[in-house]
Amino acid sequence: MTDLLARPAARTRFELGRNRKENHPWEIRVVKHPPRTRSAHFVAARKTAIKILEAMQADDDELPYGPGPWEMHHGGSLWVKADAGWRMYRARVGVEWSAQFCADPAKIDRLRQEAADLITAFPDTLDALDALGYKRARKLLDTPIENADGVEAWTDSLFNACVPLTTPDHSGVLPKAAGEHHYPWPIKAADYFRYDDFQLWVTLPDGTNAGVTPVSRRGSGDGHLRIVHARHGTAAGDAVAEAQRRHMMAVVPPDSPIALAAFEQQIPRGARTASGPLRTRRRASASGARGGTPR
């Protein structure tokens, strides 16, 4: 590997850290992130998103992913003005900031066309954005994306870069939090709709973490637990992979420490099994956006 890595466009030099290796012939360097300036596209988009979120709060409207403080995630944020107020839909895919450098303009242009189709169905949107000062919206939606400049403009726009997440939901790492940048979206998404008394992420006996779901609906009394995500190369990860290959499920029994941890708030204190009648939750759901999955 070279001693220095350069970002050609800005000639930014990275300060290298210690090399890390294993027995296999691979090597990676952990480097200090170069100063990342906010583009004019992103500054305008973030300012507008904050105005929208503040207006939603003032109207006691339900926020997409809960109260702030927010970080803006490049996750495909399609903001529209509906009859009932502002709403955010997610694009087919979001374009992460660093992923723009491998993005095919023609494929990003398809995202632009799909966004334009959606916003056409909400005719109040563009006038409302004009009123908030985001006057570049019409040009963004109408201009075909044909080069890297167009990709950059779309990547940092209101229609991609402004999914409002807290820091834990954005970039958190387990055991503290499962951020969208690090955990599969089909599993992470459940964090936004699970029951409050169900633990979606658990610590396994080997110290790694896994995403889990019940095998049956709430109130069934079934305490078996399905592992839906585990780190590759671990015993749990191998079991999940084998189950997928065989079109089966990786399930742990209700007396497993994993099941007891996941259902801990739904079972009596000191219970030795997660199966049985549902216990009244100890803490009520604050918004219905978070909470446990059925047992």
Side-chain angles (χ1 to χ4, degrees):
M1 296 179 68
T2 58
D3 291 333
L4 292 172
L5 300 176
R7 179 180 168 194
R11 311 297 295 177
T12 302
R13 295 166 74 85
F14 293 81
E15 182 178 339
L16 297 177
R18 178 173 61 87
N19 291 0
R20 303 187 183 193
K21 343 177 156 178
E22 288 186 354
N23 294 330
H24 299 288
W26 70 277
E27 186 171 340
I28 188 171
R29 294 184 177 185
V30 176
V31 304
K32 288 187 177 181
H33 200 298
R36 176 171 154 185
T37 58
R38 292 179 172 182
S39 69
H41 304 294
F42 182 74
V43 170
R46 184 182 185 281
K47 182 178 180 181
T48 304
I50 294 297
K51 289 180 180 179
I52 292 173
L53 291 162
E54 289 175 345
M56 294 177 73
Q57 284 183 312
D59 292 338
D60 290 327
D61 208 350
E62 187 172 350
L63 298 163
Y65 298 104
W70 300 287
E71 294 181 354
M72 294 301 162
H73 172 46
H74 288 62
S77 49
L78 299 179
W79 288 96
V80 299
K81 186 64 178 295
D83 292 341
W86 287 102
R87 297 290 183 267
M88 193 206 77
Y89 295 91
R90 283 240 182 164
R92 178 167 49 85
V93 293
V95 185
E96 174 49 38
W97 182 85
S98 59
Q100 67 178 293
F101 304 118
C102 69
D104 181 338
K107 295 178 181 179
I108 305 302
D109 191 62
R110 180 181 170 190
L111 298 178
R112 175 194 65 82
Q113 294 175 47
E114 291 170 353
D117 289 342
L118 175 68
I119 290 167
T120 297
F122 295 90
D124 294 336
T125 301
L126 293 178
D127 286 342
L129 291 176
D130 283 343
L132 293 177
Y134 195 69
K135 299 184 182 297
R136 62 185 69 202
R138 298 174 193 274
K139 183 177 180 180
L140 279 164
L141 294 169
D142 291 343
T143 304
I145 297 171
E146 300 173 335
N147 52 39
D149 287 342
V151 170
E152 178 185 12
W154 186 261
T155 298
D156 275 351
S157 75
L158 182 70
F159 306 120
N160 179 72
C162 293
V163 177
L165 301 178
T166 62
T167 299
D169 279 332
H170 188 196
S171 55
V173 177
L174 290 170
K176 291 186 176 181
E180 289 195 19
H181 275 271
H182 305 295
Y183 300 91
W185 175 244
I187 313 307
K188 170 59 187 174
D191 253 335
Y192 302 123
F193 59 75
R194 63 182 174 84
Y195 285 106
D196 284 340
D197 59 4
F198 180 77
Q199 185 64 36
L200 178 68
W201 304 99
V202 297
T203 300
L204 301 179
D206 63 1
T208 62
N209 300 102
V212 295
T213 60
V215 300
S216 190
R217 64 179 56 184
R218 187 178 184 87
S220 67
D222 191 340
H224 286 84
L225 197 71
R226 179 179 183 178
I227 299 179
V228 289
H229 169 71
R231 186 183 300 175
H232 295 301
T234 63
D238 291 345
V240 171
E242 179 184 356
Q244 290 175 338
R245 286 195 301 269
R246 299 173 63 182
H247 303 288
M248 301 174 75
M249 297 190 299
V251 174
V252 297
D255 60 351
S256 161
I258 303 169
L260 293 175
F263 290 120
E264 188 266 339
Q265 294 182 60
Q266 297 183 17
I267 58 180
R269 295 180 186 275
R272 296 184 178 182
T273 177
S275 290
L278 179 68
R279 180 188 178 188
T280 302
R281 285 189 284 173
R282 295 180 217 162
R283 60 185 183 190
S285 171
S287 64
R290 298 282 181 137
T293 324
R295 179 181 73 85

